[in-house]
Amino acid sequence: MTGTDLERYRERVFAERERLRAAFTQAARSQHRVLTDLLEFNADTDFGRRHDFAKIRDLDDYRSAVPVHDYSALGPWIERMAAGEERVLTADRPAVYFTSSGTTGAHKKIPVTPRFMKTTFFPFYYAAWAPLAEHFPDVLARPDAMLNLKHDPLVRPPTTSSGDPHVGASQVDFGSYFGEPLSAEPGTRAPWATLAVPVADDDHLEKAYLRLRLAAQSDVRGVIGINPAMVAAVPYQLGLWWPRMVREIRDGTLGGHPYADPDPGRAAEIEALVDRYGTLRPAHLWPNLRVIFCWTTGLASLYLPRLREEYGIGVTVLPAPVAASEGPVAVALDRHGSAGSMVADACVYEFVDADTPLRPDIPTLTFDQLETGREYQVVFSHVGGLYRYAVGDVVRVVDHQGGVPRLSYAGRATRSDAAGEALRDVQVVRALAGATESTGLELRNAACRVSTPTGGPPSYEFALAGRSPWSADETDRFVAALDTGLGTESPGYRDARRSGRLGTPTLTLLDPDAFLRDWQRSVAAGVRPTQVKDRMFRPDEAAWQQLTAPPEPTPDRLAVDAGGPPAARTASVAR
């Protein structure tokens, strides 16, 4: 993005931020306006007629007429739309369906209509880039200054049965589909945005390599990941792939195909960096890198501080919006490290206490009833056909500013409940963070599951990757602190432990790269990188065995991972 386009882009970004801030000052009025618009626009749809949209005047009427839905409840309506039936949930026809893996792994179909994009998506989407454009203008000055890890355009996108594209949000050209030429994300016009050599659409690992190989010859100033697991993967991938990158840069090839003039000078520079530091890190390859844009809470909060050092001293991490494929919740308009302001004029927002099970007639709170420090499940409605939709996310109220709450992502609403403990993933993250602070130990990632030994009560089994080896004494003290922290977070856990309904937690220490290898394997198997996210709860036995298995050096066409398996240690502590 250069010249006039860049200036127009910056003007749009800042204008949307100011418009959003103005909406905060009249947030209740903005919420009513959104409700009125979605009811009037979609009154003459099958859903609107069945739920008497034309008779609804306010939020109380709306609550009485429409139950709280999750995706499974709205799914049959959406499938009718995807099959080509019109005016089911929305008055305008979806232009595309976003895919989302959710927590079950099944691919959702999220209808995306032109009206939704215009009134709900684009305003918040542009505003989300304001901190980047304001404080890091150099990352927008050149097309190749930003490495956008999530951008993955498709030549032949998969479709629904009616022929509409069914793709990830990162695979959609908003300019082509919705007439928004300025909507191209930073980094989506880089030389590696559209690959110039043949590669299969589902060969995501090879595409990741090709983009890093090209970016290695540019002065990258920023990285967009959204999903922090993608950001964490880059240092690991550079360590694996640098020999192939050096060879191709020296030869002028890309994926084995002739591509450009040989660049032996850059190849020698990279080899010298590896000789000096023993590996290749982003900070070495791109010494002017200044900013990372990704989610900063959840499991990422445990590893981002150290991961940032891999990208360079002083690199800033800006938080990506609190949003899902289904719609936005909050967007950071400044440089706060984790929280964003509720997008008052995008959706009608309702909230339910994070530890209260949802049901169709659950009482809900409005934004002005939220308490600082509390956590809530999000229910939203918007003109794109999602009505009182329980998205499955939990948010934490950080504070209130400008008339609306500022919210940070606090994990999924899914609970692990073997004996009445009803643990949410963020509670486990906080317990892990407390244990690291108590012991001085550091984590690179973590996961857990419920294990039920023969003849004994169920217990939590943790798999942790530390930054360095832990002694037996350190491990025992960590597990003791973790056990106490879980009890503090969840009275149900504490009661289950005291009564013997839950057994002693156990811990298996993995080598530092275990979770990165696991991520790499999932992507190599064909899962899109944006969908391979950090997961605290891992109940699937095969997935757990894959994660905890010692590394096996296996050659592939990209590189040879020759790391040897460190000794694993299992520890437990009685209570």
Side-chain angles (χ1 to χ4, degrees), residues 264-283:
R266 181 56 171 162
E269 289 175 357
I270 295 173
E271 284 186 313
L273 289 169
V274 176
D275 288 343
R276 180 176 179 180
Y277 296 107
T279 188
L280 185 65
R281 296 185 174 92

Side-chain angles (χ1 to χ4, degrees), residues 45-289:
T45 62
D46 191 9
F47 191 95
R49 289 188 296 272
R50 291 196 194 187
H51 294 85
D52 289 325
F53 275 14
K55 298 180 180 179
I56 296 173
R57 296 294 176 263
D58 56 27
L59 184 59
D60 287 338
D61 290 348
Y62 184 58
R63 286 164 164 161
S64 298
V66 180
V68 172
H69 300 89
D70 60 10
Y71 184 82
S72 63
L74 282 179
W77 299 81
I78 294 173
E79 289 300 329
R80 289 166 55 192
M81 297 172 69
E85 186 176 346
E86 297 187 0
R87 306 187 77 83
V88 178
L89 289 169
T90 62
D92 55 345
R93 189 176 186 279
V96 64
Y97 288 79
F98 286 165
T99 184
S100 173
S101 59
T103 56
T104 65
H107 288 286
K108 301 177 184 178
K109 297 184 183 76
I110 310 301
V112 182
T113 68
R115 183 63 177 270
F116 164 81
M117 293 298 288
K118 179 181 178 180
T119 64
T120 301
F121 184 86
F122 281 131
F124 113 88
Y125 171 80
Y126 282 112
W129 302 112
L132 187 74
E134 179 179 11
H135 301 290
F136 303 94
D138 54 319
V139 305
L140 303 177
R142 293 179 290 106
D144 66 340
M146 180 68 81
L147 175 60
N148 191 322
L149 300 173
K150 75 183 188 71
H151 181 62
D152 186 28
L154 293 177
V155 177
R156 295 172 298 277
T159 63
T160 65
S161 58
S162 60
D164 294 315
H166 181 209
V167 294
S170 59
Q171 297 174 305
V172 174
D173 181 347
F174 296 141
S176 298
Y177 280 99
F178 301 104
E180 281 279 341
L182 288 177
S183 64
E185 286 186 6
T188 57
R189 293 173 179 168
W192 49 83
T194 302
L195 295 169
V197 296
V199 57
D201 282 343
D202 62 350
D203 196 348
H204 303 295
L205 214 55
E206 176 70 359
K207 288 193 284 187
Y209 161 76
L210 295 172
R211 289 178 175 130
L212 285 181
R213 176 257 178 269
L214 291 172
Q217 291 181 272
S218 289
D219 178 20
V220 171
R221 303 293 182 94
V223 173
I224 294 173
I226 309 298
N227 175 5
M230 298 176 68
V231 179
V234 170
Y236 177 72
Q237 291 170 334
L238 290 177
L240 286 180
W241 296 340
W242 72 263
R244 183 184 176 194
M245 290 169 56
V246 165
R247 183 173 65 253
E248 292 216 281
I249 290 170
R250 179 182 291 119
D251 296 344
T253 58
L254 180 65
H257 301 272
Y259 174 73
D261 292 337
D263 191 352
R266 181 56 171 162
E269 289 175 357
I270 295 173
E271 284 186 313
L273 289 169
V274 176
D275 288 343
R276 180 176 179 180
Y277 296 107
T279 188
L280 185 65
R281 296 185 174 92
H284 306 149
L285 196 58
W286 304 301
N288 296 315
L289 200 148

